[in-house]
Amino acid sequence: MKSNEVNVKELEQVTGGSSKESKELMAFIKRVDPKFAVYSDFDVANWLTQRSGIRFGDMNLSSSWMNDYTLANGESVDHSKLMSMLEERFPNS
């Protein structure tokens, strides 16, 4: 018999999930750049484009769907890949 239960990842995709991702990005920014004021997704997007050292073609920080990021070279990356890239760029923070 197949279970009708959804897992957390599936539920986050339906409910927006990006709240957790945005909080993770905000915590990262506060850790590596404590003087940068970050209170919203707008602040996160500003930091990513201005201070992360990663060139973006587009990004979607959404309260209703999963965050997604497109690099300047056209490559699409998910949140976990972006966090890995940031951790690599700021290893001692």
Side-chain angles (χ1 to χ4, degrees):
M1 176 177 224
K2 185 178 177 181
S3 172
N4 288 328
E5 293 182 26
V6 295
N7 65 37
V8 173
K9 186 170 185 163
E10 291 169 331
L11 184 59
E12 286 179 345
Q13 288 176 339
V14 171
T15 62
S18 62
S19 174
K20 179 181 174 185
E21 295 174 356
S22 292
K23 287 177 184 175
E24 184 177 17
L25 281 166
M26 287 179 188
F28 178 85
I29 292 167
K30 288 177 182 178
R31 189 176 82 232
V32 301
D33 197 353
K35 293 183 180 184
F36 187 84
V38 59
Y39 302 104
S40 68
D41 285 345
F42 182 76
D43 300 327
V44 169
N46 281 340
W47 188 88
L48 287 171
T49 57
Q50 297 171 10
R51 298 185 181 203
S52 71
I54 299 171
R55 293 184 52 228
F56 291 90
D58 192 21
M59 75 176 68
N60 183 24
L61 303 176
S62 170
S63 60
S64 61
W65 195 248
M66 304 301 281
N67 293 345
D68 60 71
Y69 317 90
T70 303
L71 304 180
N73 67 2
E75 177 186 0
S76 181
V77 297
D78 64 10
H79 179 75
S80 61
K81 173 68 176 172
L82 176 66
M83 291 307 298
S84 294
M85 293 169 68
L86 290 170
E87 292 291 348
E88 190 175 295
R89 288 184 172 276
F90 300 91
N92 297 319
S93 302

